[in-house]
Each structure stands twice: as structure tokens, then as C-alpha cells.
Amino acid sequence: MELGEIVESLIKIRDEYNFSLKQDAAVCAACNILAELPNMAEDRDIRAALDYICHNPR
């Protein structure tokens, strides 16, 4: 699944459910983070990049 598809799915879920403000903000934040990643990247490449970011904080 490409990242664009994941973002579209999250937006659809957000539109269909009545989330609390905190939940809605979390979904929006996730979409914004995903939108910053390359759309055509392979899952394994993204996981490697996220693993690096998580283990090498600024």
C-alpha cells in the first residue's frame, strides 16, 4: 500500500467517525507526517527511515 492510499484511508475514517478533538488532532498529525514522506517509497525503506529517526533523536 502506498502512503497516499494510507493518508486517503485515514481521511475517509476521519470523515466517517465522530472523533473527539484529541483523536481528530492525532489523525491529522499522522496524515501530516505521512504526507512528508516520499509517496512512492517502499514500506521497508520507510520503516528503516523511521527506525533511524526513532533511534537517533535530534
Side-chain angles (χ1 to χ4, degrees), residues 17-33:
Y17 293 93
N18 187 20
F19 287 135
S20 69
L21 290 177
K22 188 174 183 178
Q23 291 169 323
D24 186 68
V27 172
C28 287
C31 288
N32 291 337
I33 291 168

Side-chain angles (χ1 to χ4, degrees), residues 1-38:
M1 178 179 281
E2 292 180 6
L3 288 176
E5 293 170 323
I6 295 170
V7 172
E8 288 177 17
S9 296
L10 286 172
I11 291 169
K12 185 177 178 182
I13 290 168
R14 180 180 174 242
D15 291 343
E16 291 178 1
Y17 293 93
N18 187 20
F19 287 135
S20 69
L21 290 177
K22 188 174 183 178
Q23 291 169 323
D24 186 68
V27 172
C28 287
C31 288
N32 291 337
I33 291 168
L34 291 172
E36 294 296 319
L37 297 173

